[in-house]
């Protein structure tokens, strides 16, 4: 069996496994939708009013997209590794030609498909419910590499968490502990001006910061002329580094 066929077979199995877990399907799409409804449609932004959510609705599109780009890969890949370990599947996989990198590629492809669909849903809801104005230019197509690279990055991160955590509950706890601070402290929902001066430099250490700034340069009118190449380059480089580390972290045996 060729490498492509091995990856395709594992990706197909992972896709059907995801669809069979209806609770996972529901919350993968429900949580970011709930976030848009609460913060975008109910709380609503108050431009020029000061404080949180004082920017126009389109400013927060990177934050809404970051929700699925961050939470879904961390929890899904990490939990999958913990589940495989509990069921002794890695011992069985060690007797097959499927390599660790191929296993992670297959599951990353599934996450790219899931998160791509969720991102389209979120983008449509933000425009429909909040009245956000997204400039439809050729630059908007670059959302695809930003989302793909971010998914690869956090799939690799999720694989590392899955290796370090001994149980599925441990993976979920670890992913939430990491994801919640990153989501709100990565130039997504909270502007840097609202953070203490001593903390602002720490925001630069978050990989999600570069995703948020790059997406904002593509979807937010006041930032539409800002460069995005550095942000995309950083996210892509980190995606490669975390993917390699994640593939290495996947156990071959239990």
């Amino acid at each position: 069996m060729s490498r492509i066929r091995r990856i395709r077979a594992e990706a197909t199995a992972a896709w059907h496994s995801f669809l069979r877990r209806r609770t996972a399907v529901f919350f993968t799409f429900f949580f970011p939708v709930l976030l848009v409804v609460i913060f975008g449609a109910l709380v609503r932004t108050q431009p020029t009013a000061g404080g949180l959510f004082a920017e126009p609705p389109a400013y927060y599109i990177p934050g809404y997209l970051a929700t699925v780009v961050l939470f879904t890969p961390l929890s899904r890949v990490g939990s999958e590794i913990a589940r495989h370990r509990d069921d002794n599947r890695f011992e069985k996989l060690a007797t097959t030609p499927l390599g660790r990198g191929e296993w992670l590629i297959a599951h990353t492809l599934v996450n790219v498909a899931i998160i791509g669909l969720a991102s389209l849903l979120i983008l449509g809801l933000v425009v429909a419910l909040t009245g956000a104005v997204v400039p439809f230019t050729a630059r908007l197509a670059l959302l695809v590499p930003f989302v793909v690279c971010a998914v690869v990055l956090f799939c690799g991160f999720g694989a590392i968490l899955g290796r370090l955590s001994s149980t599925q509950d441990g993976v979920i706890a670890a992913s939430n502990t990491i994801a919640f601070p990153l989501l709100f402290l990565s130039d997504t929902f909270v502007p840097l001006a609202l953070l203490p001066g001593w903390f602002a430099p720490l925001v630069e250490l978050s990989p999600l910061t570069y995703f948020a700034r790059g997406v904002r340069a593509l979807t937010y009118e006041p930032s539409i002329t800002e460069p995005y190449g550095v942000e995309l380059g950083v996210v892509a480089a980190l995606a490669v580094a975390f993917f390699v580390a994640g593939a290495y972290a996947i156990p071959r045996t239990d």
Side-chain angles (χ1 to χ4, degrees):
M1 182 182 288
S2 68
R3 175 173 297 175
I4 293 178
R5 292 183 64 187
R6 292 196 299 268
I7 293 173
R8 183 173 60 188
E10 179 64 27
T12 301
W15 175 258
H16 288 298
S17 176
F18 169 71
L19 293 180
R20 283 194 298 269
R21 295 196 292 273
R22 296 182 180 179
T23 302
V25 175
F26 178 76
F27 281 103
T28 296
F29 293 95
F30 176 75
F31 179 69
V33 168
L34 184 64
L35 205 64
V36 173
V37 171
I38 291 176
F39 292 119
L42 298 181
V43 176
R44 294 185 177 274
T45 61
Q46 302 291 332
T48 72
L52 289 173
F53 296 98
E55 303 291 340
Y59 179 89
Y60 300 101
I61 288 176
Y64 296 129
L65 294 181
T67 305
V68 286
V69 164
L70 176 62
F71 278 89
T72 303
L74 282 182
S75 60
R76 288 201 71 252
V77 174
S79 297
E80 198 69 26
I81 290 177
R83 190 178 300 112
H84 272 53
R85 190 170 50 235
D86 291 343
D87 296 339
N88 297 319
R89 295 184 190 178
F90 284 119
E91 242 179 65
K92 298 173 184 177
L93 285 176
T95 64
T96 71
L98 187 71
R100 292 181 291 182
E102 294 170 349
W103 186 93
L104 188 54
I105 289 173
H107 286 264
T108 299
L109 289 174
V110 172
N111 276 279
V112 167
I114 293 169
I115 294 166
L117 292 173
S119 297
L120 286 175
L121 174 62
I122 290 169
L123 197 59
L125 281 175
V126 171
V127 172
L129 297 180
T130 71
V133 178
V134 178
F136 286 93
T137 65
R139 289 167 59 114
L140 197 61
L142 290 168
L143 275 177
V144 175
F146 266 106
V147 170
V148 170
C149 288
V151 172
V152 173
L153 191 164
F154 290 110
C155 279
F157 201 164
I160 296 171
L161 289 182
R163 176 62 180 267
L164 296 177
S165 303
S166 57
T167 64
Q168 293 184 51
D169 289 340
V171 170
I172 294 173
S175 62
N176 287 338
T177 300
I178 293 171
F180 271 109
L182 284 182
L183 179 62
F184 291 99
L185 300 176
S186 298
D187 205 5
T188 48
F189 293 106
V190 182
L192 292 182
L194 297 182
L195 296 174
W198 62 267
F199 187 85
L202 297 179
V203 173
E204 307 297 327
L205 300 178
S206 169
L208 200 63
T209 296
Y210 300 94
F211 170 81
R213 290 174 179 170
V215 170
R216 188 167 290 122
L218 304 177
T219 59
Y220 184 49
E221 185 67 42
S223 302
I224 201 66
T225 58
E226 294 181 5
Y228 53 82
V230 172
E231 285 75 15
L232 182 57
V234 170
V235 175
L238 290 174
V240 172
F242 273 93
F243 182 88
V244 172
Y248 182 78
I250 295 172
R252 287 295 293 167
T253 59
D254 307 299

